Amino acid sequence: RGPFPGIIDIYGVGGGLLEYRASLLAGHGFAVMAVAYYDFEDLPKVPNTLEMEYFEEAVCYLLQHPQVKGPDIGLLGLSLGADICLSMASFLKNISATVSINGSAFCANRPIHYKQTTIPALGYDLRRTKTTFSGILDILDVRNDIVGGCENPSMIPIEKAKGPLLFIVGQDDHNWRSDLYAQVASERLQTHGKEKPQIISYPGTGHYIEPPYFPVCLASLHTLVNKAVIWGGEVRAHSKAQIDAWKQILSFFGKHLGDTQNPRL
Ligand SMILES: *[C@@H]1O[C@H](CO)[C@@H](O)[C@H](O)[C@H]1NC(C)=O
Ligand SMILES: *[C@@H]1O[C@H](CO)[C@@H](O)[C@H](O)[C@H]1NC(C)=O
């Protein structure tokens, strides 16, 4: 019986609606909504711009649900989904805990809009793409450098977030430099008088951190280049990271979204 603490779950490039992680979290006493934002039903085929108003509607919808315990909810995102979650936490109200799995805290490839505010994209240059021995692409270096460090204009204003942020990082991330970005995010928070965020960093772990016991996805199609790219990570280390990261996520939400009923951590 509810009401339960609410969580919104957002995946990255690939589009569509992925609900398995939301379902797994719901088994731990949370009311979880997986949110699609492109390539699903009447949504745009490609995410050309990201409008925070769309995600704000999702927050309002969830908070008005009779089975959801307010006044705040949590956010969980992977990759581009993590950057969307960090933007939501920065711009929207009623969010009190945010988990970024291999997010960058930058507006990377496309601008993010909310009302009168636009965060410009950091940009990239595909000429920096490398090809691995197997013919699969490595896009680790395509992103433009962070000029100006944590005050770069493409950085998401994470110091505005009300609740704590948890950064989960794969040290062998080949999608982007999660490790570096989490450090820059931490610097930005501290420069603005906020506390250091919790950063959990896993060796031998790639970009695509999934729930425990999911097969490790070492490479797959990336819509940026429309070809297979490597995500990084070694199978054993990455699998162990997936088990630990899940425990950390559950305990973070359990702590910051209030007690859940029948927690099975
Ligand atoms: C959002 O948070 C405010 C301040 O805590 C609270 O008064 C309001 O009821 C919350 N909104 C919802 C829909 O729960
Ligand atoms: C972060 O990215 C790395 C490198 O691609 C990946 O191995 C790892 O699984 C990712 N971590 C998560 C939590 O997705």
Short mmCIF file of all heavy atoms in Angstrom, two decimals, residues 5-59:
data_model
loop_
_atom_site.label_atom_id
_atom_site.label_comp_id
_atom_site.label_asym_id
_atom_site.label_seq_id
_atom_site.Cartn_x
_atom_site.Cartn_y
_atom_site.Cartn_z
N PRO A 5 7.52 6.90 -2.22
CA PRO A 5 8.37 7.95 -2.77
C PRO A 5 8.46 7.81 -4.29
O PRO A 5 8.58 6.69 -4.78
CB PRO A 5 9.73 7.69 -2.12
CG PRO A 5 9.49 6.73 -1.00
CD PRO A 5 8.24 5.98 -1.31
N GLY A 6 8.39 8.90 -5.00
CA GLY A 6 8.38 8.87 -6.47
C GLY A 6 9.76 9.08 -7.08
O GLY A 6 10.59 9.80 -6.54
N ILE A 7 10.00 8.40 -8.20
CA ILE A 7 11.27 8.55 -8.94
C ILE A 7 10.96 8.59 -10.43
O ILE A 7 10.12 7.82 -10.92
CB ILE A 7 12.23 7.37 -8.65
CG1 ILE A 7 12.66 7.35 -7.18
CG2 ILE A 7 13.47 7.44 -9.56
CD1 ILE A 7 13.49 6.14 -6.77
N ILE A 8 11.63 9.47 -11.15
CA ILE A 8 11.56 9.48 -12.62
C ILE A 8 12.86 8.90 -13.15
O ILE A 8 13.95 9.24 -12.68
CB ILE A 8 11.32 10.91 -13.16
CG1 ILE A 8 9.85 11.29 -12.92
CG2 ILE A 8 11.65 11.00 -14.65
CD1 ILE A 8 9.49 12.69 -13.34
N ASP A 9 12.75 8.00 -14.15
CA ASP A 9 13.89 7.25 -14.68
C ASP A 9 14.03 7.57 -16.17
O ASP A 9 13.09 7.41 -16.94
CB ASP A 9 13.60 5.75 -14.47
CG ASP A 9 14.74 4.86 -14.95
OD1 ASP A 9 15.78 5.39 -15.40
OD2 ASP A 9 14.59 3.62 -14.90
N ILE A 10 15.23 8.02 -16.58
CA ILE A 10 15.43 8.45 -17.97
C ILE A 10 16.69 7.83 -18.56
O ILE A 10 17.78 7.93 -17.98
CB ILE A 10 15.53 10.00 -18.06
CG1 ILE A 10 14.31 10.66 -17.40
CG2 ILE A 10 15.64 10.45 -19.51
CD1 ILE A 10 14.34 12.17 -17.40
N TYR A 11 16.57 7.19 -19.71
CA TYR A 11 17.72 6.61 -20.42
C TYR A 11 18.29 7.60 -21.43
O TYR A 11 17.76 8.69 -21.62
CB TYR A 11 17.32 5.29 -21.09
CG TYR A 11 17.60 4.09 -20.20
CD1 TYR A 11 16.65 3.64 -19.28
CD2 TYR A 11 18.82 3.43 -20.27
CE1 TYR A 11 16.92 2.55 -18.46
CE2 TYR A 11 19.10 2.34 -19.44
CZ TYR A 11 18.14 1.91 -18.55
OH TYR A 11 18.41 0.84 -17.73
N GLY A 12 19.37 7.19 -22.07
CA GLY A 12 20.11 8.11 -22.94
C GLY A 12 19.81 7.95 -24.41
O GLY A 12 18.69 7.60 -24.79
N VAL A 13 20.80 8.21 -25.26
CA VAL A 13 20.57 8.09 -26.70
C VAL A 13 20.21 6.65 -27.02
O VAL A 13 20.70 5.72 -26.40
CB VAL A 13 21.77 8.53 -27.58
CG1 VAL A 13 21.98 10.02 -27.51
CG2 VAL A 13 23.03 7.77 -27.25
N GLY A 14 19.35 6.52 -27.99
CA GLY A 14 18.78 5.21 -28.28
C GLY A 14 17.27 5.41 -28.39
O GLY A 14 16.61 4.79 -29.22
N GLY A 15 16.77 6.30 -27.57
CA GLY A 15 15.37 6.68 -27.67
C GLY A 15 14.42 5.58 -27.23
O GLY A 15 14.82 4.58 -26.64
N GLY A 16 13.14 5.79 -27.52
CA GLY A 16 12.12 4.82 -27.15
C GLY A 16 11.84 4.86 -25.65
O GLY A 16 12.28 5.76 -24.94
N LEU A 17 11.10 3.86 -25.21
CA LEU A 17 10.73 3.78 -23.80
C LEU A 17 11.31 2.52 -23.19
O LEU A 17 10.95 1.41 -23.58
CB LEU A 17 9.20 3.77 -23.65
CG LEU A 17 8.67 3.69 -22.23
CD1 LEU A 17 9.07 4.92 -21.41
CD2 LEU A 17 7.16 3.53 -22.22
N LEU A 18 12.26 2.67 -22.27
CA LEU A 18 12.86 1.54 -21.59
C LEU A 18 12.32 1.51 -20.16
O LEU A 18 12.49 2.47 -19.41
CB LEU A 18 14.39 1.66 -21.57
CG LEU A 18 15.05 1.68 -22.95
CD1 LEU A 18 16.55 1.92 -22.83
CD2 LEU A 18 14.79 0.39 -23.70
N GLU A 19 11.69 0.43 -19.79
CA GLU A 19 11.01 0.38 -18.48
C GLU A 19 11.59 -0.64 -17.50
O GLU A 19 11.13 -0.72 -16.37
CB GLU A 19 9.52 0.08 -18.69
CG GLU A 19 8.79 1.19 -19.41
CD GLU A 19 7.31 0.90 -19.57
OE1 GLU A 19 6.97 -0.13 -20.18
OE2 GLU A 19 6.49 1.70 -19.07
N TYR A 20 12.59 -1.42 -17.93
CA TYR A 20 13.03 -2.50 -17.04
C TYR A 20 13.67 -2.00 -15.76
O TYR A 20 13.46 -2.55 -14.69
CB TYR A 20 13.94 -3.49 -17.78
CG TYR A 20 15.14 -2.90 -18.47
CD1 TYR A 20 16.33 -2.72 -17.79
CD2 TYR A 20 15.09 -2.53 -19.82
CE1 TYR A 20 17.44 -2.19 -18.42
CE2 TYR A 20 16.20 -1.98 -20.45
CZ TYR A 20 17.36 -1.81 -19.75
OH TYR A 20 18.45 -1.27 -20.37
N ARG A 21 14.47 -0.93 -15.85
CA ARG A 21 15.11 -0.43 -14.63
C ARG A 21 14.07 0.18 -13.68
O ARG A 21 14.13 -0.01 -12.47
CB ARG A 21 16.19 0.60 -15.00
CG ARG A 21 17.05 1.02 -13.82
CD ARG A 21 18.21 1.89 -14.26
NE ARG A 21 17.76 3.12 -14.89
CZ ARG A 21 18.56 3.95 -15.58
NH1 ARG A 21 19.84 3.66 -15.74
NH2 ARG A 21 18.07 5.04 -16.12
N ALA A 22 13.10 0.88 -14.27
CA ALA A 22 12.01 1.45 -13.47
C ALA A 22 11.24 0.35 -12.76
O ALA A 22 10.89 0.47 -11.57
CB ALA A 22 11.08 2.28 -14.36
N SER A 23 10.99 -0.75 -13.47
CA SER A 23 10.25 -1.88 -12.86
C SER A 23 11.03 -2.47 -11.70
O SER A 23 10.47 -2.80 -10.66
CB SER A 23 10.00 -2.98 -13.90
OG SER A 23 9.41 -2.43 -15.05
N LEU A 24 12.35 -2.62 -11.90
CA LEU A 24 13.18 -3.19 -10.85
C LEU A 24 13.19 -2.30 -9.61
O LEU A 24 13.11 -2.77 -8.47
CB LEU A 24 14.62 -3.40 -11.35
CG LEU A 24 14.79 -4.53 -12.37
CD1 LEU A 24 16.16 -4.44 -13.03
CD2 LEU A 24 14.62 -5.88 -11.68
N LEU A 25 13.26 -0.98 -9.83
CA LEU A 25 13.24 -0.04 -8.70
C LEU A 25 11.90 -0.07 -7.99
O LEU A 25 11.83 0.03 -6.76
CB LEU A 25 13.47 1.38 -9.22
CG LEU A 25 14.84 2.02 -9.13
CD1 LEU A 25 14.75 3.45 -9.65
CD2 LEU A 25 15.35 2.02 -7.70
N ALA A 26 10.84 -0.23 -8.76
CA ALA A 26 9.49 -0.26 -8.17
C ALA A 26 9.36 -1.44 -7.21
O ALA A 26 8.63 -1.37 -6.22
CB ALA A 26 8.44 -0.33 -9.27
N GLY A 27 10.12 -2.52 -7.48
CA GLY A 27 10.12 -3.67 -6.59
C GLY A 27 10.73 -3.37 -5.23
O GLY A 27 10.67 -4.19 -4.32
N HIS A 28 11.36 -2.22 -5.10
CA HIS A 28 11.97 -1.83 -3.83
C HIS A 28 11.17 -0.75 -3.11
O HIS A 28 11.71 -0.04 -2.25
CB HIS A 28 13.41 -1.37 -4.05
CG HIS A 28 14.32 -2.49 -4.45
ND1 HIS A 28 15.00 -3.26 -3.54
CD2 HIS A 28 14.61 -3.00 -5.67
CE1 HIS A 28 15.71 -4.19 -4.19
NE2 HIS A 28 15.48 -4.04 -5.47
N GLY A 29 9.91 -0.58 -3.47
CA GLY A 29 9.05 0.33 -2.71
C GLY A 29 9.03 1.76 -3.19
O GLY A 29 8.69 2.67 -2.43
N PHE A 30 9.40 1.98 -4.46
CA PHE A 30 9.29 3.33 -5.02
C PHE A 30 8.21 3.32 -6.12
O PHE A 30 7.98 2.31 -6.77
CB PHE A 30 10.62 3.76 -5.65
CG PHE A 30 11.77 3.81 -4.66
CD1 PHE A 30 12.68 2.77 -4.57
CD2 PHE A 30 11.93 4.92 -3.83
CE1 PHE A 30 13.73 2.81 -3.67
CE2 PHE A 30 12.99 4.97 -2.92
CZ PHE A 30 13.89 3.92 -2.84
N ALA A 31 7.58 4.48 -6.31
CA ALA A 31 6.68 4.64 -7.46
C ALA A 31 7.52 5.25 -8.57
O ALA A 31 7.97 6.38 -8.45
CB ALA A 31 5.51 5.55 -7.10
N VAL A 32 7.77 4.48 -9.62
CA VAL A 32 8.75 4.91 -10.63
C VAL A 32 8.10 5.09 -11.99
O VAL A 32 7.35 4.22 -12.45
CB VAL A 32 9.91 3.90 -10.74
CG1 VAL A 32 11.06 4.51 -11.54
CG2 VAL A 32 10.39 3.46 -9.37
N MET A 33 8.40 6.19 -12.64
CA MET A 33 7.91 6.42 -13.99
C MET A 33 9.10 6.54 -14.93
O MET A 33 9.96 7.40 -14.77
CB MET A 33 7.06 7.69 -14.06
CG MET A 33 6.58 7.97 -15.47
SD MET A 33 5.23 9.16 -15.56
CE MET A 33 6.07 10.65 -15.16
N ALA A 34 9.13 5.66 -15.94
CA ALA A 34 10.13 5.77 -17.00
C ALA A 34 9.60 6.77 -18.01
O ALA A 34 8.45 6.68 -18.43
CB ALA A 34 10.35 4.42 -17.67
N VAL A 35 10.42 7.75 -18.36
CA VAL A 35 9.97 8.80 -19.28
C VAL A 35 10.72 8.69 -20.61
O VAL A 35 11.95 8.72 -20.65
CB VAL A 35 10.18 10.20 -18.67
CG1 VAL A 35 9.85 11.30 -19.68
CG2 VAL A 35 9.30 10.36 -17.43
N ALA A 36 9.95 8.56 -21.70
CA ALA A 36 10.52 8.60 -23.06
C ALA A 36 10.56 10.06 -23.50
O ALA A 36 9.71 10.85 -23.07
CB ALA A 36 9.66 7.79 -24.01
N TYR A 37 11.53 10.42 -24.32
CA TYR A 37 11.53 11.80 -24.83
C TYR A 37 11.80 11.90 -26.31
O TYR A 37 11.75 12.97 -26.88
CB TYR A 37 12.49 12.69 -24.02
CG TYR A 37 13.91 12.17 -23.90
CD1 TYR A 37 14.93 12.70 -24.67
CD2 TYR A 37 14.21 11.15 -23.01
CE1 TYR A 37 16.23 12.22 -24.56
CE2 TYR A 37 15.50 10.66 -22.89
CZ TYR A 37 16.51 11.20 -23.66
OH TYR A 37 17.78 10.73 -23.55
N TYR A 38 12.11 10.78 -26.95
CA TYR A 38 12.10 10.79 -28.42
C TYR A 38 11.99 9.37 -28.96
O TYR A 38 12.18 8.40 -28.23
CB TYR A 38 13.31 11.53 -28.98
CG TYR A 38 14.63 10.79 -28.97
CD1 TYR A 38 15.10 10.19 -30.13
CD2 TYR A 38 15.38 10.70 -27.82
CE1 TYR A 38 16.32 9.52 -30.14
CE2 TYR A 38 16.60 10.03 -27.83
CZ TYR A 38 17.06 9.44 -28.98
OH TYR A 38 18.25 8.79 -28.99
N ASP A 39 11.64 9.31 -30.25
CA ASP A 39 11.48 8.03 -30.93
C ASP A 39 10.51 7.09 -30.21
O ASP A 39 10.80 5.91 -30.03
CB ASP A 39 12.85 7.35 -31.13
CG ASP A 39 12.78 6.30 -32.24
OD1 ASP A 39 11.80 6.32 -33.01
OD2 ASP A 39 13.69 5.46 -32.31
N PHE A 40 9.38 7.65 -29.81
CA PHE A 40 8.35 6.83 -29.17
C PHE A 40 6.99 7.48 -29.47
O PHE A 40 6.82 8.67 -29.23
CB PHE A 40 8.58 6.75 -27.66
CG PHE A 40 7.57 5.89 -26.93
CD1 PHE A 40 7.58 4.51 -27.10
CD2 PHE A 40 6.62 6.48 -26.12
CE1 PHE A 40 6.64 3.73 -26.44
CE2 PHE A 40 5.68 5.69 -25.45
CZ PHE A 40 5.69 4.32 -25.62
N GLU A 41 6.07 6.69 -30.00
CA GLU A 41 4.73 7.17 -30.34
C GLU A 41 4.79 8.52 -31.06
O GLU A 41 5.46 8.63 -32.08
CB GLU A 41 3.85 7.18 -29.09
CG GLU A 41 3.62 5.72 -28.62
CD GLU A 41 2.63 5.57 -27.49
OE1 GLU A 41 2.27 6.57 -26.84
OE2 GLU A 41 2.22 4.42 -27.25
N ASP A 42 4.13 9.56 -30.50
CA ASP A 42 4.06 10.84 -31.24
C ASP A 42 5.24 11.76 -30.94
O ASP A 42 5.25 12.92 -31.35
CB ASP A 42 2.74 11.55 -30.94
CG ASP A 42 2.59 11.89 -29.46
OD1 ASP A 42 3.35 11.30 -28.64
OD2 ASP A 42 1.74 12.72 -29.12
N LEU A 43 6.25 11.28 -30.23
CA LEU A 43 7.41 12.13 -29.91
C LEU A 43 8.30 12.28 -31.15
O LEU A 43 8.25 11.46 -32.06
CB LEU A 43 8.21 11.50 -28.77
CG LEU A 43 7.51 11.49 -27.41
CD1 LEU A 43 8.28 10.60 -26.42
CD2 LEU A 43 7.40 12.90 -26.85
N PRO A 44 9.15 13.35 -31.18
CA PRO A 44 10.03 13.53 -32.33
C PRO A 44 10.94 12.32 -32.54
O PRO A 44 11.26 11.60 -31.60
CB PRO A 44 10.88 14.75 -31.95
CG PRO A 44 10.17 15.40 -30.82
CD PRO A 44 9.30 14.39 -30.17
N LYS A 45 11.36 12.13 -33.78
CA LYS A 45 12.24 10.99 -34.11
C LYS A 45 13.64 11.20 -33.56
O LYS A 45 14.33 10.24 -33.22
CB LYS A 45 12.30 10.82 -35.64
CG LYS A 45 11.15 10.01 -36.20
CD LYS A 45 11.35 8.51 -35.95
CE LYS A 45 10.01 7.79 -35.94
NZ LYS A 45 9.97 6.64 -35.03
N VAL A 46 14.10 12.46 -33.53
CA VAL A 46 15.43 12.76 -32.99
C VAL A 46 15.30 13.89 -31.96
O VAL A 46 14.45 14.77 -32.12
CB VAL A 46 16.42 13.20 -34.09
CG1 VAL A 46 16.94 12.02 -34.87
CG2 VAL A 46 15.80 14.23 -35.02
N PRO A 47 16.12 13.88 -30.90
CA PRO A 47 16.02 14.92 -29.87
C PRO A 47 16.83 16.15 -30.26
O PRO A 47 17.92 16.35 -29.78
CB PRO A 47 16.62 14.24 -28.64
CG PRO A 47 17.63 13.28 -29.19
CD PRO A 47 17.17 12.90 -30.57
N ASN A 48 16.30 16.96 -31.17
CA ASN A 48 17.06 18.13 -31.64
C ASN A 48 17.28 19.17 -30.56
O ASN A 48 18.37 19.71 -30.44
CB ASN A 48 16.37 18.77 -32.85
CG ASN A 48 16.60 17.92 -34.09
OD1 ASN A 48 17.64 17.27 -34.21
ND2 ASN A 48 15.65 17.91 -34.99
N THR A 49 16.22 19.45 -29.79
CA THR A 49 16.40 20.34 -28.65
C THR A 49 15.75 19.67 -27.45
O THR A 49 14.87 18.82 -27.61
CB THR A 49 15.70 21.71 -28.85
OG1 THR A 49 14.32 21.47 -29.03
CG2 THR A 49 16.27 22.46 -30.02
N LEU A 50 16.19 20.03 -26.28
CA LEU A 50 15.62 19.46 -25.07
C LEU A 50 14.88 20.57 -24.32
O LEU A 50 15.50 21.55 -23.89
CB LEU A 50 16.73 18.85 -24.21
CG LEU A 50 17.44 17.66 -24.86
CD1 LEU A 50 18.71 17.31 -24.11
CD2 LEU A 50 16.52 16.44 -24.93
N GLU A 51 13.57 20.44 -24.23
CA GLU A 51 12.74 21.44 -23.56
C GLU A 51 12.42 20.93 -22.16
O GLU A 51 11.78 19.90 -22.00
CB GLU A 51 11.41 21.64 -24.31
CG GLU A 51 11.54 21.83 -25.81
CD GLU A 51 12.00 23.23 -26.19
OE1 GLU A 51 11.93 24.13 -25.32
OE2 GLU A 51 12.43 23.42 -27.34
N MET A 52 12.86 21.68 -21.16
CA MET A 52 12.63 21.25 -19.78
C MET A 52 11.14 21.24 -19.41
O MET A 52 10.72 20.53 -18.50
CB MET A 52 13.39 22.15 -18.81
CG MET A 52 14.86 21.82 -18.69
SD MET A 52 15.13 20.12 -18.13
CE MET A 52 15.94 19.43 -19.55
N GLU A 53 10.33 22.04 -20.13
CA GLU A 53 8.89 22.07 -19.83
C GLU A 53 8.26 20.67 -19.99
O GLU A 53 7.35 20.32 -19.25
CB GLU A 53 8.16 23.06 -20.75
CG GLU A 53 8.34 24.51 -20.35
CD GLU A 53 9.65 25.14 -20.85
OE1 GLU A 53 10.49 24.42 -21.45
OE2 GLU A 53 9.84 26.35 -20.61
N TYR A 54 8.77 19.92 -20.96
CA TYR A 54 8.26 18.56 -21.17
C TYR A 54 8.50 17.70 -19.92
O TYR A 54 7.63 16.97 -19.45
CB TYR A 54 8.93 17.95 -22.40
CG TYR A 54 8.62 16.49 -22.62
CD1 TYR A 54 7.40 16.09 -23.17
CD2 TYR A 54 9.53 15.50 -22.26
CE1 TYR A 54 7.11 14.76 -23.37
CE2 TYR A 54 9.25 14.16 -22.45
CZ TYR A 54 8.03 13.80 -23.01
OH TYR A 54 7.74 12.47 -23.18
N PHE A 55 9.70 17.82 -19.37
CA PHE A 55 10.05 17.01 -18.20
C PHE A 55 9.38 17.55 -16.93
O PHE A 55 9.08 16.80 -16.01
CB PHE A 55 11.58 16.96 -18.06
CG PHE A 55 12.24 16.33 -19.26
CD1 PHE A 55 12.79 17.10 -20.27
CD2 PHE A 55 12.26 14.95 -19.40
CE1 PHE A 55 13.37 16.52 -21.39
CE2 PHE A 55 12.84 14.35 -20.52
CZ PHE A 55 13.40 15.14 -21.51
N GLU A 56 9.12 18.85 -16.93
CA GLU A 56 8.39 19.46 -15.80
C GLU A 56 6.98 18.87 -15.71
O GLU A 56 6.48 18.61 -14.61
CB GLU A 56 8.31 20.98 -16.01
CG GLU A 56 7.76 21.75 -14.83
CD GLU A 56 7.90 23.26 -15.02
OE1 GLU A 56 7.76 23.74 -16.17
OE2 GLU A 56 8.14 23.95 -14.01
N GLU A 57 6.39 18.65 -16.86
CA GLU A 57 5.05 18.06 -16.90
C GLU A 57 5.09 16.65 -16.28
O GLU A 57 4.15 16.25 -15.57
CB GLU A 57 4.62 17.98 -18.36
CG GLU A 57 3.14 18.10 -18.57
CD GLU A 57 2.80 18.01 -20.06
OE1 GLU A 57 3.46 18.68 -20.88
OE2 GLU A 57 1.88 17.24 -20.37
N ALA A 58 6.17 15.93 -16.55
CA ALA A 58 6.30 14.58 -15.97
C ALA A 58 6.39 14.65 -14.45
O ALA A 58 5.77 13.86 -13.74
CB ALA A 58 7.54 13.89 -16.56
N VAL A 59 7.15 15.63 -13.94
CA VAL A 59 7.28 15.79 -12.48
C VAL A 59 5.91 16.09 -11.88
O VAL A 59 5.51 15.47 -10.87
CB VAL A 59 8.28 16.93 -12.14
CG1 VAL A 59 8.31 17.19 -10.63
CG2 VAL A 59 9.68 16.59 -12.64
#
